[in-house]
Amino acid sequence: MASSRFSLLAASLAVLLLATATSAFARHYAASGATVKPAATAAACTASTLAGYAKSVKLTADGLLLFHWNVTKNKNGIVAAVEAKAGSGGETGWISVGWTKKAGMMSPADAVVGNLAAAAPNNVLAYSMSGKVLSKIKKTTAVKLSAKSVVTSADSTIVKFTRTAKGGVGPISYTGNNNMIWAFSDAKAFTSHTQRGSILVNLACTV
């Protein structure tokens, strides 16, 4: 009986944590404004230093937040990772990267969020952002995710996922620029020390 009560309590706490994280992410987005400064040109890409990935771009000027990727063999999606190195501010809380219809605009967009405070499989989720108000920010299944994980070490936190090219605000371009947005925080509850920005990424860039 005690074991059953403990299991029920653990399950209830997991549901509460997920609900809190979801609503907190929505509150952060709604409070942070709907635009960021758009990138004028595609970011310079380099060969990825992360095992298993071909290319990467810096999301922050200091290079402490990086986006890594491979295009899937059948070109129906990308294998991606967002790496927050120690000192970036995102290695202890949550990290998100998204795709938006218009450069610099936070909506309409979809985002993949890695949350260190949640347990798998809810530590990496996709969100749809169709507006600034809370009711327009929801978890979505339109963006299909697989191979999800959050890997932590003394040097970095890495959010890994594979996402489909279609779904969300529009298909990912394999040959042209993709309007992308990012945000992170060192607070597990999505509440403080948040930074965000936008970037143009060409998945076919030459390294």
Side-chain angles (χ1 to χ4, degrees), residues 33-76:
T35 63
V36 291
K37 184 179 180 181
T41 58
C45 68
T46 60
S48 175
T49 57
L50 195 61
Y53 300 88
K55 303 174 183 180
S56 68
V57 294
K58 296 178 181 179
L59 296 179
T60 53
D62 58 14
L64 294 180
L65 190 70
L66 297 157
F67 178 67
H68 307 263
W69 75 89
N70 289 325
V71 174
T72 56
K73 290 181 179 179
N74 54 4
K75 290 191 175 181
N76 67 347

Side-chain angles (χ1 to χ4, degrees), residues 51-129:
Y53 300 88
K55 303 174 183 180
S56 68
V57 294
K58 296 178 181 179
L59 296 179
T60 53
D62 58 14
L64 294 180
L65 190 70
L66 297 157
F67 178 67
H68 307 263
W69 75 89
N70 289 325
V71 174
T72 56
K73 290 181 179 179
N74 54 4
K75 290 191 175 181
N76 67 347
I78 60 170
V79 181
V82 186
E83 179 185 15
K85 294 184 178 182
S88 67
E91 75 275 16
T92 59
W94 59 268
I95 312 166
S96 72
V97 63
W99 286 258
T100 180
K101 274 196 170 182
K102 186 176 180 181
M105 298 298 294
M106 303 298 287
S107 67
D110 52 69
V112 178
V113 181
N115 176 16
L116 272 69
N122 296 316
N123 55 347
V124 183
L125 296 171
Y127 287 85
S128 170
M129 300 181 291

Side-chain angles (χ1 to χ4, degrees), residues 182-193:
W182 57 267
F184 70 87
S185 176
D186 60 3
K188 292 182 174 63
F190 302 103
T191 55
S192 64
H193 302 292

